[in-house]
């Protein structure tokens, strides 16, 4: 799951984002034309609903979640090269207060634009991993 340079204007989440069952289609918009890491994930089904998402590897180079076979099958992934990971951010007033949800990444098939949010095993990654901690890698914490 290495792709960060892919331009995917619309994603179809076969299920939905956790907590937002009515949202299935999203526009993936770069926050700036030359930024290949940060995105706005704008719901096309629900007015006014949007998230900030990021490619995790620039912030967490050792982030290596294992995606289960059922999720890979749902997305019709036949190669890791066809997958891209995004993590949702909770933007705080400062970088030190901004966190990434590493516990429930969004997996995208870059060929079909199908996506799903997966939850990883409890205790594997944090729901609120500080971006400020990123240079040191990923700290393993229980999700709460």
């Amino acid at each position: 799951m290495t792709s960060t340079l892919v331009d995917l204007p619309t994603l179809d989440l076969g299920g939905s984002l956790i907590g937002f069952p009515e949202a299935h289609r999203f526009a993936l918009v770069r926050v700036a034309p030359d930024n290949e890491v940060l995105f706005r994930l704008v719901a096309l089904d629900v007015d006014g609903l949007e998230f900030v998402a990021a490619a995790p590897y620039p912030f967490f180079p050792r982030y290596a979640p294992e995606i289960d076979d059922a999720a890979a099958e749902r997305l019709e992934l036949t190669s890791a090269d066809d997958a891209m990971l995004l993590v949702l951010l909770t933007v705080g007033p400062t970088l030190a207060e901004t966190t990434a949800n590493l516990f429930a990444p969004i997996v995208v098939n870059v060929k079909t634009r199908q996506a799903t949010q997966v939850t990883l095993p409890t205790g594997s990654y944090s729901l609120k991993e500080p971006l400020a901690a990123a240079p040191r890698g990923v700290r393993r914490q229980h999700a709460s």
Side-chain angles (χ1 to χ4, degrees):
M1 298 189 199
T2 58
S3 185
T4 60
L5 306 177
V6 180
D7 188 19
L8 298 171
T10 305
L11 300 179
D12 182 10
L13 271 79
S16 62
L17 289 178
I18 297 166
F20 300 92
E22 67 284 356
H24 301 280
R25 293 179 346 109
F26 290 86
L28 187 63
V29 182
R30 292 177 193 217
V31 297
D34 61 342
N35 189 316
E36 299 172 343
V37 175
L38 296 174
F39 302 91
R40 291 174 41 237
L41 195 60
V42 182
L44 301 175
D45 305 322
V46 180
D47 288 338
L49 180 64
E50 72 177 67
F51 302 91
V52 178
Y57 302 113
F59 300 103
F60 305 100
R62 292 186 287 176
Y63 182 58
E66 289 194 30
I67 306 306
D68 64 42
D69 291 341
E73 188 174 305
R74 252 189 336 269
L75 294 175
E76 299 175 359
L77 289 170
T78 56
S79 166
D81 293 337
D82 294 340
M84 177 176 77
L85 280 182
L86 295 171
V87 294
L88 297 180
L89 302 181
T90 300
V91 179
T94 66
L95 180 62
E97 297 172 86
T98 298
T99 62
N101 178 350
L102 301 183
F103 176 68
I106 297 170
V107 183
V108 180
N109 181 324
V110 298
K111 289 184 176 180
T112 66
R113 298 184 183 167
Q114 296 293 311
T116 190
Q117 185 175 34
V118 297
T119 53
L120 302 174
T122 300
S124 58
Y125 290 101
S126 173
L127 275 170
K128 296 183 177 184
E129 185 68 29
L131 286 188
R136 294 189 304 265
V138 176
R139 293 179 301 170
R140 301 250 171 185
Q141 300 177 3
H142 284 285
S144 53

